[in-house]
Amino acid sequence: MSEEIKVYEIYFRKYKNKNIVIPLFSITGLTSLIADYLIDSFKMEPIAYLNIKEIQPLMYVTEGKVLHPYTLYFSPENSLMVLKTPFPKEDYENYLKIFPKIVDALLDWGERNEVKRFIALDFMPLEEGEETKVHFITEEHLTEEMTRLGLEPYSGVFSSAGTYLLDECMRRRIDGVLLVADSYIYTLLRMVLSKEISPKDLYEKIKEANYDQEALIKMVKALSKVTQVEIPVDKLRKVAKELGKILVESLKIVQKRPPGIVL
């Protein structure tokens, strides 16, 4: 008799309406910024981390305390969980290789701990003249609920790592939702890639657009509706200004990014 022995947590089962928020790869840092904002707003505690051997080990250190780069945070007051990921300095193609393994590990853990819903965050370029909206992509039985919450159903071909998450959620019969907000910063970055504007002018235009505060606030409000958790937005405008520091790094990544990768 040589059956594999596994440990199953029971602590999290007592919490209802559990949601896991997953920030997808973003060269602008917008998704990571929202994840950090949620962790700080609810004073979340780290509860687990993903041991990803395919990437070079990185460690966050705060006041001498070490934290793994892929850490899961939890707020028992509202049953909300957030995956904190490192700023995406690794190349996008490598991210696409490891993301399915991240999803599989999280879904396995989520199934054992009766997580209700997985919610991925992403951004896409705001078309000229259009109003900033938050779109949703999800399974058919959830579309009516998302529309009722005031979110915009997405139509068309969508290229994102989040589509793998949705496919796996459907296969496992777990509720999965991909939220995609229109972003003017993404529009500007696309213009840089197409050489309509220079990287030198990009930062000034981002400042003129108030660091995409509207997109960030609308995404957080949409997330609040989907999770049924009241997420404060009063400090988000101030946090959005810190995005400028991250975007300096993004500029370097954009200029090195291989052709053919769609924002």
Side-chain angles (χ1 to χ4, degrees):
M1 185 174 180
S2 58
E3 292 183 3
E4 184 181 359
I5 298 176
K6 292 184 179 180
V7 176
Y8 289 87
E9 302 90 343
I10 58 174
Y11 173 77
F12 295 101
R13 290 183 180 177
K14 66 181 179 181
Y15 295 98
K16 306 299 180 183
N17 192 36
K18 293 186 288 291
N19 295 271
I20 293 182
V21 178
I22 303 174
L24 297 180
F25 181 99
S26 168
I27 59 173
T28 65
L30 287 171
T31 54
S32 296
L33 186 143
I34 290 177
D36 288 344
Y37 181 76
L38 294 173
I39 291 168
D40 292 340
S41 295
F42 295 114
K43 294 179 171 42
M44 293 182 172
E45 292 290 336
I47 56 169
Y49 71 87
L50 278 67
N51 184 18
I52 303 174
K53 298 183 183 298
E54 284 78 3
I55 63 173
Q56 182 177 350
L58 300 171
M59 290 290 178
Y60 290 131
V61 180
T62 305
E63 297 179 349
K65 296 177 291 185
V66 68
L67 290 173
H68 195 275
Y70 286 86
T71 302
L72 194 62
Y73 283 75
F74 178 57
S75 170
E77 288 76 17
N78 48 48
S79 299
L80 188 64
M81 303 180 189
V82 176
L83 178 66
K84 181 178 175 67
T85 59
F87 184 73
K89 289 185 179 179
E90 71 270 14
D91 64 272
Y92 186 63
E93 289 184 2
N94 186 56
Y95 172 82
L96 291 179
K97 290 178 182 177
I98 66 172
F99 186 72
K101 297 179 181 181
I102 293 173
V103 169
D104 291 345
L106 283 175
L107 287 176
D108 286 345
W109 188 88
E111 280 184 306
R112 293 199 303 270
N113 291 284
E114 301 173 359
V115 172
K116 176 187 176 183
R117 186 169 287 173
F118 282 76
I119 306 162
L121 308 182
D122 207 350
F123 288 84
M124 66 181 184
L126 173 66
E127 298 302 326
E128 187 176 357
E130 293 292 325
E131 177 190 357
T132 300
K133 296 178 181 178
V134 179
H135 309 262
F136 71 84
I137 303 173
T138 189
E139 201 169 354
E140 185 177 357
H141 73 277
L142 292 173
T143 56
E144 186 177 335
E145 176 189 347
M146 297 298 114
T147 303
R148 188 170 64 250
L149 293 174
L151 306 179
E152 188 80 11
Y154 180 87
S155 296
V157 178
F158 191 79
S159 175
S160 167
T163 55
Y164 180 87
L165 171 67
L166 293 181
D167 187 60
E168 282 299 297
C169 284
M170 288 190 290
R171 188 175 67 81
R172 298 179 187 230
R173 298 182 180 179
I174 296 174
D175 286 353
V177 180
L178 175 56
L179 297 179
V180 189
D182 297 316
S183 164
Y184 184 60
I185 287 180
Y186 266 65
T187 304
L188 292 173
L189 290 175
R190 186 172 64 179
M191 292 172 71
V192 170
L193 291 174
S194 62
K195 299 183 179 180
E196 295 177 54
I197 60 173
S198 69
K200 184 178 178 181
D201 295 332
L202 176 60
Y203 187 64
E204 285 302 317
K205 288 185 175 294
I206 289 172
K207 283 168 54 178
E208 292 172 8
N210 289 321
Y211 306 102
D212 234 353
Q213 292 180 25
E214 185 177 7
L216 286 167
I217 289 173
K218 287 192 175 183
M219 176 66 97
V220 170
K221 287 183 175 180
L223 187 59
S224 184
K225 292 176 182 179
V226 174
T227 59
Q228 299 178 19
V229 174
E230 189 173 342
I231 305 172
V233 296
D234 53 321
K235 296 180 181 179
L236 194 56
R237 293 187 185 279
K238 181 180 179 182
V239 172
K241 293 182 180 179
E242 298 175 8
L243 188 63
K245 301 174 185 177
I246 300 173
L247 289 172
V248 173
E249 295 296 324
S250 296
L251 287 174
K252 299 174 185 176
I253 296 173
V254 168
Q255 294 175 67
K256 295 178 181 177
R257 198 169 186 182
I261 299 295
V262 181
L263 283 174

